[in-house]
Structure formats: C-alpha cells, structure tokens
Amino acid sequence: MDLQRLPVEVVYQLSQEYREQAYAVSAKVKNEEQLKQYCTLISMAIKCLRYIKRVFPLSIEQDLQVTLELVDLLLQETHNLDLAESFVSSLRERLLIHNSSSSTGSLVNERMQCELLLLCRIPLIRGSKFHFKAALRSCDHLVQHLSQLKDTLESYEEWKRVFQYVSMLLSQRLGKHLIVRAKYDDLWQNPELPLQWQAFITLSYTNYLLDNRFPIPLPVSQRLGSISFSDVRPKWYAWKLMLQLTILVYQDKNITEKLNEFKCFFAQSKDALTDSSDDSIVQVGSRLCLSLDSPFMLNYQDLKNMLLLFQSVSFLVNCYDKKASFSVMFLPKVVKTTTKLIDTMKQRNGVSLNEISAKLHWYEQILSLTRFYQVWQDMLLEPHSLHTSSDGLLHVMSQQAEYRKDPASICDEYQVIKDASDSTNETKLLSLLNTYLIRASLVSEGVERQKHATLCNIIWDQITKRLADTDLRDNATWDCALTMTWIMTHFEPFSSNPIPATDDERNHHIEKLRLYYDANKLRLSNEVEDEPQSKGSVDEVLKLKKSLMLQILLNYLGGRMLEQDLETICQISAACCRLAKIRKLPVIQYVTGLWHLANCTLAMKTKEVTITRAKLESLVKKICIREL
Amino acid sequence: MSDFPGEDKKIPKRLIEAVAHAPVDYLVPKLGLSNLLDSEFETNVIQRQDVFATQHTKAYSDLQPMSFDVADDANQELLFRRPRNMSFGSTNQSATLFDGLSPLASRCLAASAQVSSDNIKESLLVQLERPG
C-alpha cells in the first residue's frame, strides 16, 4: 500500500482526466501501439475509481456516482461483465439498507437505475438466452412488486412502465412473439401515458415487427400514423417516417408520397438533425427521463443516405427503364456517401472508441446491403451473365440463370439455403419458389414426373404456410406471383403435364388472375409502357410495380386465358415478345414468339407471320449457340 | 402448326419450362433494411452531480505520484474490447496519445502497468478457444 495517499478528490479528478483524454484521442487510434495506449488510459480511469471505492469511506451519493461511472466504463470498454454486475449488486444492497434506515425514501430513482442495469443493459450485452431468461423472470417480479407499491409513490408507477417495456424487450430477444404482442397491448392499457413514451413504445414495437417481418396490425400502424410532428423531437419524427417508408418498401407499394413528406420534413427540421442535438431523451413520466443509445438516432446525412438506399430497393425492378432507373443512379451514390461518412466518423471527437466502432459497423451494413442490391440489379440487366456474390441466394440464382448446372443440383443448393438457420423467411420463400418452378418444369418435361409432382405439392404447402406467418402475406406482388405460378403449373397450355387439382382450386386461381390482370394489363391502343389510366375503376391494392418479367407473365397468362378477341390477343402477344427482348431472356422470348406466331397465323396476318418466323429462326440460332 | 422454328431443337416450348431458366428476380428480398433503424435502449437517468470538490489536477502537481495497481486486481484482470471493423497496423508513426495529460496524471500513468495486446480481445470466446 502506498504510504503517501492522494486525496480522494484528486484521484476522482484523475479518473475523469484519463477518461476524457481517451475519448478525446479515440479517433486518432491508428495502430496497435496507440490502441494499447487508449486502453491504458481507460484502465487508469477504471483503476482510479476502483481505488476510491476500496480505500476511502464514501457517502452514499459519492458511492453512487463512482460506481455508476465505473460500471459504465466496464460495460462500454471491457469484457469484465461479472465485475460490473457485482459492483451494481453491492451498490443496490447499500441503497436498500440506506433506504430502510432513513426516513426519506428519496433514492428510488437510484435503486431503479441499478435494477435497470442488472435487468436490461447487462443481460443485453451478455446476449445469451440463459441471461435473458433470468432477467425476464426478475423483471416480471419487479413489475408485480411495483404494481403493489404504486399507491405510495408516483415514481413507482413511472418505473413500472419502464420495466414493463424491458420485459417486452427481453421477451423479444427470447423469440416469445405471442407474449411480446400481449405485453405491447398491456403497455397501451394506460391512457395517461406521456406522448413521448407512447410514441417510443410504438416506434420500437413497429421496428421489432419489421425486423421479424411480421404483419403490422392495423391499430399499430394507426398509432404510428398518429405520432405528430409537434409531439416528438425531430429525430423521432424521422424514425417514424423511416418506419412508414420501410412498411411501404416491404409491401412493394408506391413510395412517392412518403418521399414528399420527407421533403417537407427536411425543409422544416434539417438543422435540428445533427449529431450533437440531444434528441435521445425520452420522457417516461413527469419526473423520469431515459436516454436512447444515440449513435443510432439518425442525423441528416445518414437519413438522406438511407433514403437513397431505400428508394433504390423500391425501384430496383424498374432498373431497365431509362426513365425510372433510380437504383442505377443511386446505388453507386450510396457507396460513395457512406465511404465519406465513414471517413468523417473516424475523425469524431469525444466518444468511446467502441462507439465509433459500432457506428462503423452500421455503415458496413449499409455497404453490404448496397453490394447485394447492385448484384441483384446487374442480374436484372444482364440475366444470363455470371454474377458473383458472397450471398448464397444470389449465387444460386445466378447459376440457375446460367443453366450450366443440372436442375437437380440447383434444387439441392436452394435446399441448403432454405435449411440454413441464418436465412431469413424471405430468402427461404424465394428458395422454395425457385425450387418449385424448376421441379414443375421437370414435371412438364416428363422427367421423373410422379416424383417431382409430389415434391411440388409438398413445396407449395411449405410456401403457403411460411407466407402466412410473414408480412409478405399482404404483399400484392407476392400474391400475384404465386397465383401466376399456380396457373403455370396446373393448366395445359403452360405445362405439358399439369399437376392435378380440383375445379374449385382452378376457378379460385383464375378469378385471382383476372383481378390482377384487369388491374395491370398492358394498355394496347397506346404505347406499351403506358400505365392504364382508368382512374377509380381499378383497385389500388391490386396495382403492381412495373417489373418487366411480371408484366410478361401476367399478360401472357391473361392473354391466353381471359381474352377472347383475336385482334387484342395478337397485340398482347406482340407486346410480350417485345418486353421479353428488352428483358434479354431469349427462352421466354421464344415461347412468347411461338404464341404470337400461332395468333398471327390464325388471324391470317401473312406479313406478320413471315416476320415472326424470321425472328424466331434467328432466336433459335442464338439459343443453340449459347447452349453449346 | 406442323412446322415452326426450333421444333426439333431442345428448346423449352412451354412457359413453365422457359420460366425455370429465369430465377424469380422480380420479387426482391428486402433483407435488413429495418434493422438499420433499430435503436438500442440505454439507461442514463441520473445527472452528474458534484459529489467531490473539484479542482484541476494541475494544482496538485507537487503531490507524489502513485500507482493504482493493487494486488487483488490480478484476480480480476481487465480484458478490453477490441473494436471490430477497424484494423490496427503496426506502423511506425507513433504519435503518443498521452500528450496533454497533466503532470500528475502522466507520472501516475508512468508508475502503473500498461495494457498489453493480450488483454485486448474481440470476444471472450476467442480467448477461451486459444490453447494454453
């Protein structure tokens, strides 16, 4: 033990100085030596605080301050979670003893903050189910306990709300989705919640639903919609708008109006959306405020960058269209901006190195998403070229389009993706759908017909069951795609060996096809690209994005099954051929060309027959060369 | 139609056979867009109070420095988080990050143990898996 002991206020001051120095230089850490220096500074700050706790007699206020700072450093900078937890636990003990021996009972907030660390922050950092479960049990006990106390002190009621939220959060991490829903409804039972807390609960719950691709119930989307600009801070309002935009993008809906809302919002609040603005505070009750982890509350630059990414995804299927190819313009811009933002982040002062690292990780996520969508876009533009991607789904899809591999092994590879534990529901559904189409084509070709037909029925069941659990069940594009797939595989003109089905099933699918066809069919009198203009007559819900492939399939199927007039049919088949050519899919172009040839022959358009024959001849040559 | 181009060739004649060569790319997966919006919940309620008399450490520059290393620290050695997504080369440019500390802080630091690379880990698992 040192003989000459420094006074307690000096040691405390030193701890502050070491931490402030570390955070001031965090952006300068470039090599291993400097990383060691950074950690040494933090270790000095920790050592000072531990020394104070060990050596000096502290008042309860001093102990509180020192312990919370110490715990914060340990959680933020180290893996010593047990140590941090033991400090919080003993502080909580001291507060309890103090509370029972004093008459004031004024340390409620302090005790509750200890609980919050033990039941929320520390278990979330530990990240294991074991710790989530233990914390959830204790948290529910605490909520019960606070409910019984609530008559005595208003603060208890406010803290009860916080722990009800924590309980919901822990249930989310445990994947107890039904319980999460019940807990969210419970949180809403209290009509006197402050607007900020109401807004926070709904924003965070909507985010959770979207992350899991669950359908958004109507009351939730209404509550989300009712969060008004005047009730919450600008960054929260931005969060609301971004969530609403995400819902539209996930549903493949038109986002133009939402983008206009952003424009108005930026005009009003651009200056308030800075990193330094103190927007992370949420008011739980009249005397209780909590803070959100601020690095993820978005500033203006981040928001604008994300808007570009979200727009690109929304417009991705239109990338072939020169007038609407937003993704072609925007995706490279996202890469450029993100790289720039990363450089700016590396020069940020006054924050922990781990905070910088967390934000850099966030930017990495944006870059990795952007790379994924760039490859997807390339695949749309050049369907038969080889596209390399680290993403499993894209890799197999590219191989399928290349048709160098035999169908069975492509199906096997999709199976691997479908079974992978880290695949999302959406990825699994796409794998299943592609497998279904390949197997159904084998049925049509008569290759092990019975076996593949049985497999098709099994896969179809899996698709419909899986879809029902996700928000995609409300997605019109998915619904239309599945309807068309069913028609293609269950009717004679589209498959040589249709899979058997009952009349009811057939009629049901034809009726659905009719709805989508009527709402989206090509307008023939005018140019092909024109949208149907008949206002009001078409159900908006059924209107789909103008993706070329979808248009080809829908018009081909609708033209063959629902149209009677030969002249109209001829126009549709001509349009389908044109679209397939733009889409650079020779095999599809060939099939639509055969249909057009038949139509023209029937209509005795001799000139058109000659032209179409010539086109088909050259197409056959092209396909055969590619096949070799 | 008895005769049409490609009739004798092995080219798909039915829609389903042609479609099987074109993977469904008109349904675009939206992956983790909403995850970018997740906000972590943190817990800072208590405002910083002045629980200790504050005076700048420069005023104490005549005090004797001391190490804050205490014997029982060894039992609970600190293990620092190594930031992910950041690479740290062993370049020569070694601007010291200690510049600007007060004299007392510098001398205390010099008297204390420095953190070594072995104590900066990406995760605890890595350490456990390492033999020895």
Side-chain angles (χ1 to χ4, degrees):
Chain A
M1 180 65 75
D2 300 73
L3 290 175
Q4 67 306 29
R5 187 188 278 172
L6 291 171
V8 65
E9 59 271 17
V10 176
V11 183
Y12 180 74
Q13 199 61 42
L14 280 171
S15 81
Q16 304 291 305
E17 188 182 342
Y18 287 126
R19 195 194 61 226
E20 279 160 21
Q21 173 83 6
Y23 288 178
V25 299
S26 57
K28 289 188 192 147
V29 177
K30 294 282 183 288
N31 56 45
E32 188 67 26
E33 190 54 36
Q34 290 170 331
L35 179 62
K36 284 192 274 181
Q37 291 176 350
Y38 173 86
C39 292
T40 300
L41 285 168
I42 298 289
S43 84
M44 289 303 289
I46 292 173
K47 279 185 209 167
C48 288
L49 294 171
R50 290 185 70 182
Y51 182 82
I52 293 173
K53 276 183 73 77
R54 191 184 304 114
V55 171
F56 298 102
L58 299 175
S59 72
I60 188 109
E61 289 81 10
Q62 288 174 329
D63 195 7
L64 191 70
Q65 178 83 18
V66 170
T67 309
L68 290 179
E69 279 183 31
L70 175 57
V71 167
D72 197 54
L73 279 173
L74 287 171
L75 295 180
Q76 176 87 281
E77 309 286 345
T78 76
H79 295 291
N80 298 71
L81 303 178
D82 290 341
L83 187 61
E85 191 162 350
S86 69
F87 280 128
V88 184
S89 297
S90 49
L91 176 67
R92 181 180 58 177
E93 289 309 307
R94 184 170 176 191
L95 286 164
L96 272 173
I97 295 164
H98 176 88
N99 206 33
S100 53
S101 64
S102 78
S103 56
T104 55
S106 61
L107 294 170
V108 175
N109 279 348
E110 289 73 6
R111 259 169 47 218
M112 289 300 133
Q113 182 161 16
C114 290
E115 297 290 358
L116 201 47
L117 282 165
L118 292 169
L119 299 179
C120 185
R121 188 165 170 200
I122 295 176
L124 289 187
I125 296 176
R126 290 192 191 275
S128 80
K129 286 211 164 183
F130 172 79
H131 290 100
F132 294 155
K133 268 186 201 160
L136 180 60
R137 246 194 325 270
S138 310
C139 187
D140 287 342
H141 276 143
L142 183 63
V143 169
Q144 225 177 359
H145 178 65
L146 291 173
S147 309
Q148 287 153 3
L149 291 176
K150 75 175 180 190
D151 292 337
T152 49
L153 204 57
E154 200 180 318
S155 307
Y156 285 129
E157 176 59 27
E158 295 176 356
W159 277 106
K160 193 185 100 184
R161 287 173 203 161
V162 175
F163 288 105
Q164 278 180 307
Y165 173 77
V166 172
S167 166
M168 181 175 83
L169 199 64
L170 290 165
S171 305
Q172 288 177 9
R173 299 296 164 104
L174 282 166
K176 298 183 170 187
H177 299 306
L178 283 175
I179 295 179
V180 172
R181 191 184 306 163
K183 283 179 176 165
Y184 169 78
D185 291 339
D186 245 20
L187 278 164
W188 264 91
Q189 292 306 310
N190 186 342
E192 289 154 27
L193 290 179
L195 284 171
Q196 275 192 12
W197 186 242
Q198 277 183 22
F200 170 69
I201 300 285
T202 294
L203 289 165
S204 135
Y205 184 63
T206 310
N207 217 143
Y208 148 81
L209 291 174
L210 287 170
D211 288 350
N212 288 282
R213 302 305 302 265
F214 292 138
I216 312 282
L218 189 63
V220 179
S221 64
Q222 283 171 341
R223 280 170 202 154
L224 185 66
S226 71
I227 296 172
S228 80
F229 180 72
S230 53
D231 293 339
V232 291
R233 296 160 197 261
K235 282 191 185 174
W236 293 64
Y237 199 72
W239 189 10
K240 168 203 156 156
L241 291 180
M242 285 305 296
L243 288 171
Q244 287 184 317
L245 179 69
T246 313
I247 294 174
L248 293 174
V249 173
Y250 280 5
Q251 290 298 319
D252 288 310
K253 296 259 176 64
N254 191 311
I255 60 169
T256 320
E257 265 179 55
K258 195 51 64 186
L259 292 177
N260 287 335
E261 264 187 69
F262 266 104
K263 242 185 216 167
C264 301
F265 168 66
F266 284 149
Q268 232 172 337
S269 318
K270 186 183 161 186
D271 297 336
L273 299 166
T274 60
D275 271 329
S276 50
S277 66
D278 201 10
D279 266 0
S280 53
I281 308 294
V282 48
Q283 194 177 11
V284 184
S286 55
R287 62 195 86 194
L288 180 61
C289 286
L290 295 177
S291 79
L292 277 180
D293 194 5
S294 50
F296 302 100
M297 295 298 282
L298 301 167
N299 62 34
Y300 178 65
Q301 279 81 15
D302 286 335
L303 277 169
K304 262 189 64 180
N305 194 31
M306 282 176 75
L307 280 183
L308 287 185
L309 174 62
F310 280 51
Q311 279 181 78
S312 307
V313 177
S314 174
F315 288 110
L316 198 73
V317 288
N318 296 31
C319 61
Y320 54 85
D321 180 354
K322 287 198 172 57
K323 280 179 282 179
S325 58
F326 292 107
S327 62
V328 179
M329 291 187 290
F330 290 164
L331 286 174
K333 229 174 152 178
V334 174
V335 175
K336 213 174 141 191
T337 312
T338 311
T339 317
K340 241 195 234 161
L341 289 169
I342 288 175
D343 287 341
T344 322
M345 191 63 213
K346 284 183 179 160
Q347 286 152 28
R348 233 182 116 185
N349 271 334
V351 291
S352 155
L353 189 58
N354 285 295
E355 206 168 299
I356 297 180
S357 153
K359 186 78 191 232
L360 289 180
H361 175 66
W362 187 80
Y363 284 128
E364 273 305 324
Q365 268 178 282
I366 294 188
L367 286 178
S368 126
L369 281 174
T370 312
R371 278 193 291 272
F372 175 86
Y373 290 117
Q374 278 182 316
V375 177
W376 198 284
Q377 174 194 283
D378 293 345
M379 202 166 63
L380 286 162
L381 291 171
E382 295 294 338
H384 291 308
S385 306
L386 184 67
H387 302 288
T388 48
S389 169
S390 54
D391 182 83
L393 178 66
L394 273 172
H395 179 72
V396 186
M397 285 173 73
S398 180
Q399 286 190 320
Q400 183 189 349
E402 270 251 288
Y403 53 101
R404 293 282 186 268
K405 273 195 178 173
D406 70 294
S409 58
I410 296 281
C411 288
D412 289 344
E413 291 192 36
Y414 276 126
Q415 176 85 24
V416 172
I417 295 175
K418 198 214 93 194
D419 292 339
S421 58
D422 59 344
S423 293
T424 63
N425 250 334
E426 207 173 17
T427 308
K428 289 181 180 190
L429 276 164
L430 282 168
S431 303
L432 283 168
L433 184 54
N434 281 318
T435 315
Y436 181 85
L437 289 167
I438 295 172
R439 294 208 188 279
S441 96
L442 293 173
V443 174
S444 175
E445 288 168 22
V447 182
E448 295 183 277
R449 196 173 136 187
Q450 201 49 50
K451 174 188 145 192
H452 289 297
T454 312
L455 282 170
C456 273
N457 285 328
I458 296 172
I459 297 169
W460 190 258
D461 268 0
Q462 291 178 338
I463 292 177
T464 43
K465 277 200 191 107
R466 215 167 250 290
L467 194 77
D469 295 333
T470 74
D471 63 338
L472 295 173
R473 70 175 193 199
D474 305 323
N475 181 309
T477 311
W478 265 90
D479 190 43
C480 176
L482 291 182
T483 306
M484 295 193 305
T485 303
W486 198 92
I487 302 255
M488 270 187 259
T489 49
H490 289 75
F491 284 92
E492 171 68 31
F494 315 118
S495 164
S496 310
N497 297 305
I499 300 171
T502 64
D503 281 350
D504 280 353
E505 287 173 321
R506 288 157 165 264
N507 290 337
H508 169 73
H509 283 93
I510 290 178
E511 274 322 300
K512 267 175 104 173
L513 178 71
R514 189 188 304 280
L515 290 174
Y516 284 113
Y517 178 67
D518 285 345
N520 299 283
K521 66 181 166 191
L522 294 167
R523 203 165 160 225
L524 297 168
S525 53
N526 232 321
E527 256 302 285
V528 194
E529 278 84 10
D530 277 4
E531 259 181 289
Q533 295 292 315
S534 47
K535 274 181 191 151
S537 62
V538 171
D539 189 347
E540 282 299 316
V541 177
L542 299 170
K543 265 195 154 179
L544 306 174
K545 284 249 177 63
K546 287 193 297 170
S547 123
L548 275 188
M549 188 62 185
L550 205 77
Q551 282 191 66
I552 297 167
L553 295 176
L554 193 55
N555 286 285
Y556 182 91
L557 296 175
R560 291 197 75 155
M561 300 198 75
L562 307 169
E563 295 287 356
Q564 308 294 332
D565 177 53
L566 188 55
E567 183 52 35
T568 312
I569 295 174
C570 270
Q571 287 188 38
I572 296 171
S573 56
C576 284
C577 292
R578 273 204 300 281
L579 293 178
K581 193 179 178 194
I582 303 174
R583 189 61 181 76
K584 297 187 188 167
L585 291 169
V587 182
I588 304 271
Q589 198 187 337
Y590 176 75
V591 171
T592 53
L594 287 184
W595 179 42
H596 187 55
L597 182 64
N599 293 338
C600 293
T601 311
L602 263 180
M604 294 192 281
K605 298 182 172 200
T606 41
K607 198 177 157 200
E608 187 77 17
V609 168
T610 318
I611 297 172
T612 309
R613 259 179 189 282
K615 279 186 185 167
L616 283 170
E617 294 284 3
S618 83
L619 201 55
V620 168
K621 273 186 203 146
K622 207 170 137 191
I623 295 171
C624 291
I625 289 169
R626 261 178 42 81
E627 292 255 274
L628 292 171
Chain B
M1 192 169 51
S2 56
D3 167 35
F4 59 88
E7 187 181 16
D8 51 343
K9 299 273 188 333
K10 198 179 170 291
I11 302 174
K13 312 283 189 302
R14 304 276 184 166
L15 184 63
I16 183 65
E17 295 164 25
V19 162
H21 290 298
V24 181
D25 52 17
Y26 50 97
L27 298 171
V28 181
K30 314 299 188 303
L31 294 165
L33 292 181
S34 67
N35 298 88
L36 293 173
L37 305 170
D38 281 334
S39 270
E40 287 288 321
F41 183 63
E42 262 207 24
T43 52
N44 296 315
V45 227
I46 294 166
Q47 302 296 310
R48 187 174 295 259
Q49 302 162 4
D50 288 333
V51 289
F52 296 101
T54 52
Q55 233 180 325
H56 199 273
T57 42
K58 281 197 173 101
Y60 305 114
S61 54
D62 53 334
L63 291 177
Q64 283 300 304
M66 58 178 286
S67 144
F68 300 103
D69 300 330
V70 178
D72 82 323
D73 276 0
N75 298 331
Q76 287 163 324
E77 203 179 27
L78 292 176
L79 213 52
F80 288 87
R81 287 180 191 276
R82 179 177 288 275
R84 292 159 202 249
N85 323 297
M86 293 170 104
S87 53
F88 300 100
S90 50
T91 48
N92 294 329
Q93 62 145 105
S94 48
T96 168
L97 304 182
F98 300 147
D99 286 349
L101 283 174
S102 66
L104 180 62
S106 298
R107 282 184 287 143
C108 289
L109 190 136
S112 305
Q114 313 272 305
V115 174
S116 76
S117 289
D118 286 345
N119 281 17
I120 313 174
K121 302 277 177 207
E122 272 207 14
S123 71
L124 285 178
L125 275 176
V126 177
Q127 203 217 0
L128 293 175
E129 281 164 8
R130 256 172 57 169

